[in-house]
Amino acid sequence: MVSARYVVKKDKWNDVNLEVYYHEDHNYNINIMMDAMKMSLDYYTANFSPYQFRQMRIMEFPRYSQFAQSFANTVPFSEGIGFIMKIEDDDPNVLFFVTAHEFAYQWWGHQVSEANVKGNAMISEAVAQYSSYMVIKHNFSQEVLKDFLKYDLLQKA
Ligand SMILES: [Zn+2]
């Protein structure tokens, strides 16, 4: 459950309502999240299948944990990896990438699911990762894509 006195940023992509629920003072990166949702919808609906819902919501939660997780048309998103992250121009834009990655689960996991066997999450994880790389590839330069691949190589699990 996610609950707070939120401010809501609203936008639209075709007939899909896009909403970001955030703490009033944490408005720095809201537009990046909106752009990531729109570019993801462009790529995923063109290359995979139609989006199955009429809305997509991102909700900020405190830095008790640093993750985002995709539920059906809803993504709780830690302030620590998004809302209060300082993004410099030459940084890999992790916030954009995480948003596109989480949104990809609306297809991988929420539309196409794996067999209920050990290790199954690796498939949706890998395909979501691929999907978000494709959003980067089709909207940014090759250099940006290379920076992301390098960034991910250096991450520890
Ligand atoms: Zn993931």
Side-chain angles (χ1 to χ4, degrees):
M1 182 183 291
V2 184
S3 176
R5 247 178 246 120
Y6 287 117
V7 174
V8 186
K9 166 86 176 182
K10 294 181 180 183
D11 207 340
K12 259 179 127 50
W13 179 91
N14 296 342
D15 59 349
V16 179
N17 293 314
L18 306 175
E19 298 175 344
V20 181
Y21 291 71
Y22 63 100
H23 175 61
E24 194 172 12
D25 297 334
H26 296 173
N27 60 354
Y28 315 105
N29 300 319
I30 307 296
N31 290 336
I32 295 173
M33 295 171 130
M34 279 295 182
D35 287 348
M37 284 198 279
K38 289 176 192 170
M39 289 178 201
S40 296
L41 275 163
D42 283 338
Y43 186 85
Y44 301 159
T45 59
N47 292 281
F48 305 147
S49 67
Y51 181 57
Q52 61 178 328
F53 302 110
R54 304 299 292 271
Q55 66 279 314
M56 180 64 184
R57 303 182 180 117
I58 292 175
M59 291 137 182
E60 180 178 14
F61 68 84
R63 235 180 333 169
Y64 305 131
S65 289
Q66 306 245 34
F67 70 92
Q69 187 173 356
S70 210
F71 297 91
N73 73 98
T74 302
V75 177
F77 206 121
S78 173
E79 64 178 357
I81 59 164
F83 291 86
I84 57 170
M85 183 178 254
K86 187 167 186 195
I87 297 164
E88 307 285 356
D89 280 349
D90 56 346
D91 286 342
N93 191 333
V94 176
L95 169 62
F96 183 98
F97 191 72
V98 171
T99 305
H101 178 94
E102 293 307 321
F103 207 171
Y105 290 112
Q106 300 301 314
W107 284 263
W108 314 121
H110 292 301
Q111 282 195 50
V112 180
S113 43
E114 311 95 338
N116 187 16
V117 294
K118 199 169 189 180
N120 63 350
M122 194 185 95
I123 296 173
S124 56
E125 185 64 48
V127 182
Q129 193 75 350
Y130 164 81
S131 303
S132 41
Y133 283 135
M134 288 302 103
V135 176
I136 302 279
K137 181 181 175 181
H138 289 274
N139 290 286
F140 299 94
S141 68
Q142 282 290 48
E143 284 308 306
V144 171
L145 181 63
K146 278 185 200 161
D147 284 348
F148 269 102
L149 290 166
K150 199 159 117 194
Y151 173 85
D152 276 343
L153 260 181
L154 301 175
Q155 294 299 301
K156 293 186 181 116

